[in-house]
Amino acid sequence: MDIYRDLFAGVETIGILALQGDFELHEEALGDRGLSAVRVRRVSELTEIDGLIIPGGESTTMTRLIDKIGMRDPLLNFSGPILGTCAGLIMLSKEIEEDRDRHGVEPLGMLDVVVRRNGFGTQIDSFADNVKWNDGTTNEGVFIRAPRILEIGNDVEVIARWNDEPVAVRQGDIVGLTYHPEVG
Amino acid sequence: MTSRWTDEKIQERMKLKIGLAEMLKGGCIMDVTNAEQAKVAEEAGAVAVMALERIPADIRSDGGIARASQPKMIKEIQDTVSIPVMAKCRIGHFAEAQILEAMGVDFVDESEVLTPADEKNHVDKYDFNVPFVCGCRNLGEALRRIGEGAAMIRTKGEAGSGNIVEAVRHMRQVQEEIRKLTVLREDELMAEAKNMGAPYHIVLETAKLGKLPVPNFAAGGIATPADASLMMQLGAETCFVGSGIFKSNDPKPRAEAIVQAVTYYDDPAKLLEISMELGEAMEGIDVAGLPESEKLSSRGW
């Protein structure tokens, strides 16, 4: 299962949120598939794209920048497909488990899941292992200080698992992954 | 015996180490000395904090032996923030690094800011699960550190000086030497590796990539949004800010401004807007007047 090809099939211009994080690795991943992307750092640039990737990085940093530059509402109103990886999933989620993430920021709430940041621990607990998609295919997932999905809303479908745990979820045109398909 | 450059387990681990460095790109990593500062840094949008007992400006003025920070103080910071926590060990002091790893810090900085523990050898960083960042003044030094297993390189600059001149020198030097590698014939690269004192296989890889094989960050003397922009325009992928924030007269807005300056480093109008309301930067010192023996950047081999 190639989530880039699946989610962005027929999408004319893919944008990558480039406020902070590994947006270059997503550009390379798209390039490997013969797809191109533009970087989005300003509110006005959201109107020029048809699909969006929110990359890995620090969700607190990116969310604070989004609020500082007034990008929250334009993101909530964005109508194309959105892929969030790691920090991107955290930002899309409805809720961040707050008792652990004392200084968590307000997520966008576009994906009806509850997540736990740094769900496996610190960097020395980061790992790579196979994830299994619903269509039976597997690919390597790189989990770096990865979040965990704790609760899933009724309209959300689990589309890939690691062991029995959900690591990729989809709600309509919005997909969130706890790992990094762009690293590897 | 398998070599560490072909050993799959070690290479798999390198992927995770470099992966975290990739996540920190386009951000600002701030030096903090207590939980309160760490909170200010996190709220300002830092991508990580560097936990240390004294910021470089104070290490410089206080003198004495600068060692790895007390675990208790690092633990308090780990309990306060949810962003990655880095900590420094002395050059070559692998036992300090082992303790930092046991604490679960996210990155170890084998740093010239602390007093070196070994005058010949750096830490064998492949031995660790925790990733390392190391400073450099030139490409040879950068590639030696990568050869030892560093997952991120930063300029040394001159820590605690509030003076950007050394970081500029080091970044320009590294970039110039990389550009040179890309135009040499492949049969000239062994001689160049010999000249630089750098591992041949990493020289080859760098020549092919046209950039370092690990993320390349700036550190040492960044005090203003313009300093951060300058380093990013010269090729840095993230900025470490040490004394520049908590030695300024109003740390929070300065921290927020530098975070934005890294994102919008190539947009002068935006840089103007975020620089407008800032108070005084740290005072700083003229590096040219520093005797060689007082330069922190000359530590490391």
Side-chain angles (χ1 to χ4, degrees):
Chain A
M1 169 79 167
D2 186 327
I3 192 63
Y4 292 102
R5 286 194 199 286
D6 183 69
L7 185 62
F8 296 115
V11 170
E12 197 167 337
T13 308
I14 304 170
I16 306 178
L17 192 66
L19 297 173
Q20 189 273 321
D22 73 335
F23 47 88
E24 281 178 14
L25 292 186
H26 277 289
E27 282 172 355
E28 286 172 23
L30 290 170
D32 291 345
R33 291 161 174 81
L35 303 168
S36 62
V38 295
R39 295 184 186 181
V40 174
R41 288 189 295 170
R42 294 172 184 80
V43 173
S44 61
E45 290 162 346
L46 273 178
T47 61
E48 296 156 18
I49 60 167
D50 309 298
L52 178 68
I53 295 175
I54 306 181
E58 273 310 314
S59 58
T60 52
T61 303
M62 284 191 261
T63 310
R64 289 199 164 92
L65 282 168
I66 281 171
D67 285 331
K68 191 153 267 176
I69 63 175
M71 199 186 257
R72 180 176 287 260
D73 285 339
L75 276 173
L76 292 176
N77 293 324
F78 185 77
S79 59
I82 304 178
L83 171 65
T85 64
C86 194
L89 161 68
I90 295 168
M91 291 161 69
L92 288 169
S93 72
K94 182 187 71 178
E95 192 182 326
I96 302 168
E97 192 198 24
E98 271 303 330
D99 57 338
R100 270 178 67 97
D101 298 313
R102 296 155 296 268
H103 306 112
V105 288
E106 191 61 37
L108 296 167
M110 301 170 81
L111 191 52
D112 189 5
V113 291
V114 179
V115 298
R116 172 183 292 168
R117 295 179 58 215
N118 309 327
F120 295 92
T122 71
Q123 170 62 11
I124 50 175
D125 305 301
S126 294
F127 65 99
D129 200 4
N130 276 338
V131 302
K132 190 168 182 188
W133 293 85
N134 283 357
D135 65 4
T137 59
T138 58
N139 54 246
E140 189 190 50
V142 178
F143 295 81
I144 297 174
R145 284 172 49 93
R148 289 180 116 150
I149 298 171
L150 306 179
E151 288 173 36
I152 292 170
N154 289 334
D155 298 330
V156 179
E157 184 193 3
V158 176
I159 53 174
R161 293 176 191 270
W162 166 74
N163 295 331
D164 287 330
E165 179 167 337
V167 293
V169 289
R170 179 165 191 156
Q171 182 175 4
D173 260 356
I174 299 179
V175 171
L177 275 55
T178 61
Y179 66 95
H180 297 280
E182 74 280 14
V183 177
Chain B
M1 192 186 131
T2 52
S3 125
R4 43 187 35 181
W5 296 293
T6 54
D7 183 310
E8 273 181 33
K9 253 192 161 151
I10 289 178
Q11 287 310 316
E12 186 77 18
R13 212 155 66 181
M14 275 318 287
K15 185 158 73 182
L16 299 173
K17 293 176 175 180
I18 294 172
L20 179 57
E22 294 280 353
M23 300 310 146
L24 301 174
K25 279 187 178 176
C28 177
I29 300 163
M30 302 181 194
D31 279 0
V32 296
T33 57
N34 55 46
E36 192 189 331
Q37 288 182 353
K39 198 159 176 262
V40 171
E42 186 179 58
E43 281 172 1
V47 291
V49 290
M50 176 74 72
L52 70 177
E53 266 161 27
R54 291 180 290 169
I55 55 174
D58 291 334
I59 290 176
R60 189 178 281 291
S61 59
D62 295 354
I65 302 299
R67 308 180 179 94
S69 298
Q70 297 289 343
K72 188 166 172 281
M73 168 265 177
I74 297 172
K75 180 78 173 49
E76 280 171 15
I77 290 173
Q78 286 176 313
D79 288 343
T80 302
V81 297
S82 61
I83 55 179
V85 175
M86 304 184 168
K88 292 179 190 289
C89 76
R90 285 179 262 178
I91 288 173
H93 206 317
F94 53 84
E96 281 186 348
Q98 286 161 352
I99 292 170
L100 295 175
E101 178 172 67
M103 291 197 67
V105 303
D106 296 289
F107 238 102
V108 174
D109 183 4
E110 187 183 16
S111 177
E112 69 283 357
V113 168
L114 305 183
T115 312
D118 190 319
E119 294 183 324
K120 233 181 186 170
N121 307 293
H122 283 250
V123 173
D124 179 4
K125 294 165 270 287
Y126 282 111
D127 262 358
F128 289 79
N129 282 318
V130 65
F132 278 72
V133 50
C134 290
C136 76
R137 286 163 299 175
N138 54 51
L139 186 59
E141 200 174 8
L143 301 190
R144 285 195 293 281
R145 299 294 85 82
I146 295 169
E148 294 155 357
M152 180 203 295
I153 291 297
R154 54 168 177 78
T155 58
K156 286 182 172 170
E158 190 56 31
S161 70
N163 189 337
I164 199 68
V165 66
E166 294 295 306
V168 168
R169 185 204 316 279
H170 300 157
M171 185 56 76
R172 279 198 183 272
Q173 178 73 26
V174 168
Q175 302 291 9
E176 181 190 320
E177 288 181 272
I178 292 174
R179 281 195 300 276
K180 187 177 165 200
L181 282 191
T182 64
V183 298
L184 289 179
R185 284 164 50 110
E186 202 165 319
D187 60 6
E188 293 168 333
L189 290 174
M190 179 58 90
E192 192 58 22
K194 181 186 168 197
N195 286 340
M196 284 194 284
Y200 177 58
H201 69 289
I202 299 176
V203 171
L204 282 182
E205 194 185 350
T206 305
K208 202 172 110 195
L209 290 170
K211 60 176 191 166
L212 292 181
V214 303
N216 183 10
F217 292 4
I222 296 166
T224 67
D227 288 344
S229 165
L230 177 65
M231 294 312 298
M232 295 295 284
Q233 292 190 58
L234 287 173
E237 295 170 308
T238 276
C239 291
F240 283 86
V241 185
S243 320
I245 289 172
F246 290 103
K247 274 285 167 190
S248 71
N249 69 356
D250 197 358
K252 190 159 191 283
R254 181 160 297 267
E256 286 175 358
I258 295 178
V259 167
Q260 285 195 70
V262 173
T263 297
Y264 298 104
Y265 69 91
D266 57 354
D267 182 342
K270 186 87 185 167
L271 290 166
L272 168 64
E273 182 193 318
I274 61 187
S275 303
M276 199 58 108
E277 301 296 326
L278 292 181
E280 291 274 319
M282 70 178 282
E283 191 168 347
I285 52 178
D286 182 7
V287 181
L290 272 184
E292 199 58 31
S293 60
E294 286 182 26
K295 277 193 189 171
L296 303 176
S297 61
S298 57
R299 298 164 165 182
W301 352 106

